[in-house]
Amino acid sequence: DGGITQSPKYLFRKEGQNVTLSCEQNLNHDAMYWYRQDPGQGLRLIYYSQIVNDFQKGDIAEGYSVSREKKESFPLTVTSAQKNPTAFYLCASSRRQGGDSYEQYFGPGTRLTVT
Amino acid sequence: QQPVQSPQAVILREGEDAVINCSSSKALYSVHWYRQKHGEAPVFLMILLKGGEQKGHEKISASFNEKKQQSSLYLTASQLSYSGTYFCGLIQGGSEKLVFGKGTKLTVNP
């Protein structure tokens, strides 16, 4: 079955450590996205990528980094520079972006807790 | 700029109707609607495009008023399965990013 996988579902880290969240899709989608969700805040865009080896900052990119070396994969690194990293992280993909509007398919999310 | 959703929360009895609104301060290109159940991923409901085209997977209706820069989602004869948080996402003129509202929590009781 086609879809988006995120791992792990729950992640615990100590303050000051970098952590990488995995996101893989087998939908053959060009565009991929990372969102952060906090209670009562909706979904806020961290980074997005429309093609391999290219990505753009979203609205809250500070303290995060990404790579897009393969079409299927879009890992997110939460660095120690992110001041409040505890949140629910959602990865999504769509056929493409820019000029047209396609629905986004979301992965199950990773709940990150940093203490 | 983040779209404004209203109401923030609504409680219904099964079979009742609800309307969820989403407004923008900028010209809109398209509006997306998603539903998220607690602890799960958001699921696509509908896209409304400038010009009137709609794409959706469920029997949910919505409107898109370009002049007023707003969209409304209509949930009729609500079922228990409609419970969840509804998000609108906007692609505003001049941007290629989808910007989500803070959500409307819908609770349907028996």
Side-chain angles (χ1 to χ4, degrees):
Chain A
D1 289 335
I4 301 178
T5 56
Q6 290 185 243
S7 60
K9 191 171 176 67
Y10 299 95
L11 190 54
F12 298 89
R13 280 293 183 271
K14 294 287 187 185
E15 201 173 311
Q17 293 179 337
N18 291 355
V19 59
T20 297
L21 281 59
S22 166
C23 177
E24 303 276 333
Q25 56 99 358
N26 60 3
L27 299 166
N28 199 31
H29 285 171
D30 293 306
M32 296 187 74
Y33 316 82
W34 273 106
Y35 294 94
R36 171 183 172 137
Q37 189 171 32
D38 296 282
Q41 293 298 316
L43 291 85
R44 293 184 290 170
L45 183 64
I46 304 172
Y47 269 98
Y48 63 102
S49 167
Q50 296 185 64
I51 56 172
V52 175
N53 292 323
D54 187 51
F55 47 83
Q56 287 79 42
K57 292 182 179 180
D59 300 315
I60 55 165
E62 186 175 348
Y64 300 97
S65 66
V66 293
S67 63
R68 187 88 187 274
E69 297 177 0
K70 299 187 297 182
K71 187 175 183 178
E72 303 80 20
S73 179
F74 192 40
L76 172 75
T77 297
V78 184
T79 75
S80 56
Q82 168 50 232
K83 294 178 182 177
N84 186 17
T86 294
F88 188 46
Y89 291 88
L90 286 159
C91 178
S93 70
S94 68
R95 283 170 59 187
R96 70 174 190 266
Q97 192 186 28
D100 295 299
S101 196
Y102 293 89
E103 61 266 36
Q104 295 190 9
Y105 293 81
F106 286 84
T110 292
R111 193 167 295 278
L112 174 65
T113 303
V114 177
T115 57
Chain B
Q1 284 185 326
Q2 192 172 32
V4 177
Q5 287 188 234
S6 63
Q8 289 185 319
V10 59
I11 299 175
L12 302 174
R13 288 204 177 273
E14 211 171 354
E16 291 181 338
D17 302 337
V19 180
I20 300 173
N21 301 302
C22 176
S23 63
S24 170
S25 58
K26 293 186 175 183
L28 300 179
Y29 176 79
S30 67
V31 180
H32 294 219
W33 285 97
Y34 293 80
R35 177 173 62 213
Q36 184 180 31
K37 296 196 179 277
H38 184 68
E40 299 180 6
V43 174
F44 168 76
L45 296 176
M46 179 172 289
I47 288 178
L48 299 100
L49 303 174
K50 204 173 175 180
E53 185 181 350
Q54 295 186 9
K55 295 190 288 183
H57 295 305
E58 295 192 20
K59 294 181 181 178
I60 289 178
S61 63
S63 65
F64 179 15
N65 189 320
E66 294 174 42
K67 280 189 178 179
K68 291 186 177 179
Q69 297 169 184
Q70 61 183 212
S71 175
S72 295
L73 187 70
Y74 304 97
L75 302 166
T76 57
S78 59
Q79 304 171 16
L80 296 176
S81 61
Y82 286 10
S83 291
T85 300
Y86 289 77
F87 293 98
C88 69
L90 307 180
I91 294 188
Q92 296 160 325
S95 173
E96 57 184 5
K97 299 182 296 185
L98 188 61
V99 181
F100 285 93
K102 292 186 177 183
T104 295
K105 185 174 181 180
L106 176 73
T107 303
V108 180
N109 292 321

